[in-house]
Amino acid sequence: MQKHEGTVADITEQFGEGRSKNRVYQYTTEAGFPAPLYTVGKNKIYDMRQVARYFTNRTDRRKTT
């Protein structure tokens, strides 16, 4: 695995901002989330640079009043 690659656990650690690993996993199923580069066993490996762009450009979909 290269320095810029990571698993859901790595994404949670770097970009989770208090979110659980399960919530970060849900993000991976959303349209617009980067596709994994490859899979090792059960772990999908993502390009962390693409993941960073996703979270930078993502808008909060929760409604506020």
Side-chain angles (χ1 to χ4, degrees):
M1 198 161 52
Q2 300 293 322
K3 187 167 122 177
H4 64 274
E5 298 173 346
T7 64
V8 168
D10 298 322
I11 294 168
T12 302
E13 185 178 314
Q14 190 167 347
F15 304 105
E17 299 173 355
R19 296 178 187 100
S20 69
K21 186 176 171 184
N22 287 338
R23 181 63 185 116
V24 172
Y25 176 77
Q26 289 175 337
Y27 288 135
T28 68
T29 64
E30 291 182 359
F33 196 87
L37 299 171
Y38 56 94
T39 303
V40 176
K42 294 182 178 182
N43 293 314
K44 294 179 181 177
I45 309 300
Y46 296 90
D47 185 325
M48 298 296 276
R49 299 169 296 191
Q50 292 177 358
V51 172
R53 277 192 291 273
Y54 170 81
F55 282 112
T56 298
N57 296 326
R58 186 176 190 282
T59 57
D60 190 354
R61 294 188 176 101
R62 291 178 290 167
K63 293 182 180 179
T64 57
T65 56

